[in-house]
PDB file of all heavy atoms in Angstrom:
ATOM      1  N   ASP Y 314    -306.588 168.882 -52.277  1.00  0.00           N
ATOM      2  CA  ASP Y 314    -306.210 169.454 -50.974  1.00  0.00           C
ATOM      3  C   ASP Y 314    -305.539 170.814 -51.139  1.00  0.00           C
ATOM      4  O   ASP Y 314    -305.856 171.767 -50.442  1.00  0.00           O
ATOM      5  CB  ASP Y 314    -305.253 168.513 -50.237  1.00  0.00           C
ATOM      6  CG  ASP Y 314    -305.993 167.294 -49.712  1.00  0.00           C
ATOM      7  OD1 ASP Y 314    -307.232 167.411 -49.508  1.00  0.00           O
ATOM      8  OD2 ASP Y 314    -305.357 166.251 -49.519  1.00  0.00           O
ATOM      9  N   ALA Y 315    -304.615 170.860 -52.075  1.00  0.00           N
ATOM     10  CA  ALA Y 315    -303.896 172.114 -52.319  1.00  0.00           C
ATOM     11  C   ALA Y 315    -304.870 173.190 -52.760  1.00  0.00           C
ATOM     12  O   ALA Y 315    -304.775 174.350 -52.348  1.00  0.00           O
ATOM     13  CB  ALA Y 315    -302.818 171.905 -53.380  1.00  0.00           C
ATOM     14  N   LEU Y 316    -305.834 172.792 -53.588  1.00  0.00           N
ATOM     15  CA  LEU Y 316    -306.825 173.736 -54.076  1.00  0.00           C
ATOM     16  C   LEU Y 316    -307.605 174.338 -52.903  1.00  0.00           C
ATOM     17  O   LEU Y 316    -307.839 175.542 -52.831  1.00  0.00           O
ATOM     18  CB  LEU Y 316    -307.790 173.014 -55.024  1.00  0.00           C
ATOM     19  CG  LEU Y 316    -308.846 173.900 -55.681  1.00  0.00           C
ATOM     20  CD1 LEU Y 316    -308.219 174.918 -56.603  1.00  0.00           C
ATOM     21  CD2 LEU Y 316    -309.850 173.052 -56.454  1.00  0.00           C
ATOM     22  N   ARG Y 317    -307.976 173.471 -51.944  1.00  0.00           N
ATOM     23  CA  ARG Y 317    -308.739 173.928 -50.790  1.00  0.00           C
ATOM     24  C   ARG Y 317    -307.914 174.922 -49.963  1.00  0.00           C
ATOM     25  O   ARG Y 317    -308.403 175.991 -49.587  1.00  0.00           O
ATOM     26  CB  ARG Y 317    -309.141 172.721 -49.920  1.00  0.00           C
ATOM     27  CG  ARG Y 317    -310.199 173.021 -48.892  1.00  0.00           C
ATOM     28  CD  ARG Y 317    -310.718 171.736 -48.235  1.00  0.00           C
ATOM     29  NE  ARG Y 317    -309.662 170.711 -48.112  1.00  0.00           N
ATOM     30  CZ  ARG Y 317    -308.736 170.688 -47.145  1.00  0.00           C
ATOM     31  NH1 ARG Y 317    -308.734 171.594 -46.242  1.00  0.00           N
ATOM     32  NH2 ARG Y 317    -307.814 169.740 -47.110  1.00  0.00           N
ATOM     33  N   VAL Y 318    -306.624 174.579 -49.752  1.00  0.00           N
ATOM     34  CA  VAL Y 318    -305.751 175.458 -48.969  1.00  0.00           C
ATOM     35  C   VAL Y 318    -305.610 176.826 -49.647  1.00  0.00           C
ATOM     36  O   VAL Y 318    -305.740 177.874 -49.001  1.00  0.00           O
ATOM     37  CB  VAL Y 318    -304.355 174.812 -48.794  1.00  0.00           C
ATOM     38  CG1 VAL Y 318    -303.383 175.814 -48.203  1.00  0.00           C
ATOM     39  CG2 VAL Y 318    -304.448 173.567 -47.930  1.00  0.00           C
ATOM     40  N   VAL Y 319    -305.382 176.795 -50.947  1.00  0.00           N
ATOM     41  CA  VAL Y 319    -305.222 178.053 -51.678  1.00  0.00           C
ATOM     42  C   VAL Y 319    -306.502 178.870 -51.599  1.00  0.00           C
ATOM     43  O   VAL Y 319    -306.490 180.071 -51.332  1.00  0.00           O
ATOM     44  CB  VAL Y 319    -304.833 177.760 -53.152  1.00  0.00           C
ATOM     45  CG1 VAL Y 319    -305.015 179.001 -54.013  1.00  0.00           C
ATOM     46  CG2 VAL Y 319    -303.392 177.274 -53.224  1.00  0.00           C
ATOM     47  N   ALA Y 320    -307.633 178.196 -51.792  1.00  0.00           N
ATOM     48  CA  ALA Y 320    -308.915 178.903 -51.776  1.00  0.00           C
ATOM     49  C   ALA Y 320    -309.184 179.509 -50.401  1.00  0.00           C
ATOM     50  O   ALA Y 320    -309.661 180.641 -50.291  1.00  0.00           O
ATOM     51  CB  ALA Y 320    -310.033 177.946 -52.174  1.00  0.00           C
ATOM     52  N   GLU Y 321    -308.854 178.745 -49.349  1.00  0.00           N
ATOM     53  CA  GLU Y 321    -309.041 179.278 -47.995  1.00  0.00           C
ATOM     54  C   GLU Y 321    -308.214 180.546 -47.803  1.00  0.00           C
ATOM     55  O   GLU Y 321    -308.680 181.522 -47.216  1.00  0.00           O
ATOM     56  CB  GLU Y 321    -308.629 178.247 -46.947  1.00  0.00           C
ATOM     57  CG  GLU Y 321    -309.717 177.211 -46.687  1.00  0.00           C
ATOM     58  CD  GLU Y 321    -309.197 176.055 -45.833  1.00  0.00           C
ATOM     59  OE1 GLU Y 321    -308.061 176.151 -45.307  1.00  0.00           O
ATOM     60  OE2 GLU Y 321    -309.925 175.051 -45.721  1.00  0.00           O
ATOM     61  N   GLY Y 322    -306.981 180.488 -48.297  1.00  0.00           N
ATOM     62  CA  GLY Y 322    -306.102 181.652 -48.206  1.00  0.00           C
ATOM     63  C   GLY Y 322    -306.725 182.851 -48.904  1.00  0.00           C
ATOM     64  O   GLY Y 322    -306.747 183.965 -48.378  1.00  0.00           O
ATOM     65  N   VAL Y 323    -307.255 182.590 -50.089  1.00  0.00           N
ATOM     66  CA  VAL Y 323    -307.867 183.678 -50.849  1.00  0.00           C
ATOM     67  C   VAL Y 323    -309.087 184.219 -50.116  1.00  0.00           C
ATOM     68  O   VAL Y 323    -309.257 185.432 -49.963  1.00  0.00           O
ATOM     69  CB  VAL Y 323    -308.246 183.205 -52.265  1.00  0.00           C
ATOM     70  CG1 VAL Y 323    -309.054 184.277 -52.996  1.00  0.00           C
ATOM     71  CG2 VAL Y 323    -306.990 182.848 -53.045  1.00  0.00           C
ATOM     72  N   ASN Y 324    -309.924 183.328 -49.632  1.00  0.00           N
ATOM     73  CA  ASN Y 324    -311.144 183.760 -48.948  1.00  0.00           C
ATOM     74  C   ASN Y 324    -310.833 184.614 -47.729  1.00  0.00           C
ATOM     75  O   ASN Y 324    -311.549 185.570 -47.432  1.00  0.00           O
ATOM     76  CB  ASN Y 324    -311.987 182.558 -48.557  1.00  0.00           C
ATOM     77  CG  ASN Y 324    -312.684 181.965 -49.779  1.00  0.00           C
ATOM     78  OD1 ASN Y 324    -312.984 182.686 -50.736  1.00  0.00           O
ATOM     79  ND2 ASN Y 324    -312.900 180.660 -49.777  1.00  0.00           N
ATOM     80  N   ALA Y 325    -309.762 184.248 -47.021  1.00  0.00           N
ATOM     81  CA  ALA Y 325    -309.390 185.011 -45.830  1.00  0.00           C
ATOM     82  C   ALA Y 325    -309.035 186.452 -46.201  1.00  0.00           C
ATOM     83  O   ALA Y 325    -309.050 187.338 -45.352  1.00  0.00           O
ATOM     84  CB  ALA Y 325    -308.219 184.338 -45.130  1.00  0.00           C
ATOM     85  N   LEU Y 326    -308.679 186.661 -47.462  1.00  0.00           N
ATOM     86  CA  LEU Y 326    -308.259 188.001 -47.877  1.00  0.00           C
ATOM     87  C   LEU Y 326    -309.397 188.819 -48.483  1.00  0.00           C
ATOM     88  O   LEU Y 326    -309.214 189.964 -48.882  1.00  0.00           O
ATOM     89  CB  LEU Y 326    -307.110 187.875 -48.893  1.00  0.00           C
ATOM     90  CG  LEU Y 326    -305.819 187.302 -48.307  1.00  0.00           C
ATOM     91  CD1 LEU Y 326    -304.840 186.942 -49.414  1.00  0.00           C
ATOM     92  CD2 LEU Y 326    -305.179 188.295 -47.344  1.00  0.00           C
ATOM     93  N   ARG Y 327    -310.558 188.200 -48.573  1.00  0.00           N
ATOM     94  CA  ARG Y 327    -311.691 188.980 -49.109  1.00  0.00           C
ATOM     95  C   ARG Y 327    -312.026 190.084 -48.129  1.00  0.00           C
ATOM     96  O   ARG Y 327    -312.071 189.866 -46.924  1.00  0.00           O
ATOM     97  CB  ARG Y 327    -312.901 188.083 -49.307  1.00  0.00           C
ATOM     98  CG  ARG Y 327    -312.726 187.128 -50.464  1.00  0.00           C
ATOM     99  CD  ARG Y 327    -313.916 186.227 -50.635  1.00  0.00           C
ATOM    100  NE  ARG Y 327    -315.014 186.909 -51.310  1.00  0.00           N
ATOM    101  CZ  ARG Y 327    -315.896 186.241 -52.072  1.00  0.00           C
ATOM    102  NH1 ARG Y 327    -315.812 184.934 -52.229  1.00  0.00           N
ATOM    103  NH2 ARG Y 327    -316.868 186.902 -52.643  1.00  0.00           N
ATOM    104  N   SER Y 328    -312.264 191.290 -48.655  1.00  0.00           N
ATOM    105  CA  SER Y 328    -312.629 192.384 -47.773  1.00  0.00           C
ATOM    106  C   SER Y 328    -313.364 193.437 -48.580  1.00  0.00           C
ATOM    107  O   SER Y 328    -313.261 193.464 -49.809  1.00  0.00           O
ATOM    108  CB  SER Y 328    -311.390 192.993 -47.112  1.00  0.00           C
ATOM    109  OG  SER Y 328    -310.916 194.074 -47.881  1.00  0.00           O
ATOM    110  N   PRO Y 329    -314.106 194.303 -47.911  1.00  0.00           N
ATOM    111  CA  PRO Y 329    -314.880 195.332 -48.623  1.00  0.00           C
ATOM    112  C   PRO Y 329    -313.986 196.300 -49.398  1.00  0.00           C
ATOM    113  O   PRO Y 329    -314.455 196.978 -50.307  1.00  0.00           O
ATOM    114  CB  PRO Y 329    -315.613 196.077 -47.498  1.00  0.00           C
ATOM    115  CG  PRO Y 329    -315.566 195.176 -46.315  1.00  0.00           C
ATOM    116  CD  PRO Y 329    -314.343 194.337 -46.456  1.00  0.00           C
ATOM    117  N   GLN Y 330    -312.690 196.397 -48.983  1.00  0.00           N
ATOM    118  CA  GLN Y 330    -311.810 197.340 -49.693  1.00  0.00           C
ATOM    119  C   GLN Y 330    -311.142 196.692 -50.908  1.00  0.00           C
ATOM    120  O   GLN Y 330    -310.492 197.364 -51.697  1.00  0.00           O
ATOM    121  CB  GLN Y 330    -310.698 197.849 -48.764  1.00  0.00           C
ATOM    122  CG  GLN Y 330    -311.154 198.845 -47.729  1.00  0.00           C
ATOM    123  CD  GLN Y 330    -311.862 198.143 -46.580  1.00  0.00           C
ATOM    124  OE1 GLN Y 330    -311.426 197.095 -46.102  1.00  0.00           O
ATOM    125  NE2 GLN Y 330    -312.989 198.698 -46.135  1.00  0.00           N
ATOM    126  N   ARG Y 331    -311.237 195.400 -50.997  1.00  0.00           N
ATOM    127  CA  ARG Y 331    -310.411 194.689 -51.978  1.00  0.00           C
ATOM    128  C   ARG Y 331    -311.267 194.065 -53.076  1.00  0.00           C
ATOM    129  O   ARG Y 331    -312.300 193.473 -52.787  1.00  0.00           O
ATOM    130  CB  ARG Y 331    -309.624 193.601 -51.254  1.00  0.00           C
ATOM    131  CG  ARG Y 331    -308.642 192.841 -52.125  1.00  0.00           C
ATOM    132  CD  ARG Y 331    -307.726 191.980 -51.283  1.00  0.00           C
ATOM    133  NE  ARG Y 331    -306.845 192.815 -50.473  1.00  0.00           N
ATOM    134  CZ  ARG Y 331    -306.569 192.580 -49.204  1.00  0.00           C
ATOM    135  NH1 ARG Y 331    -307.111 191.548 -48.588  1.00  0.00           N
ATOM    136  NH2 ARG Y 331    -305.770 193.381 -48.546  1.00  0.00           N
TER     137      ARG Y 331
END
Side-chain angles (χ1 to χ4, degrees):
Chain Y
D314 287 336
L316 183 65
R317 194 170 33 81
V318 170
V319 165
E321 279 170 9
V323 172
N324 285 331
L326 293 168
R327 289 179 79 151
S328 93
Q330 286 78 43
R331 184 169 293 137

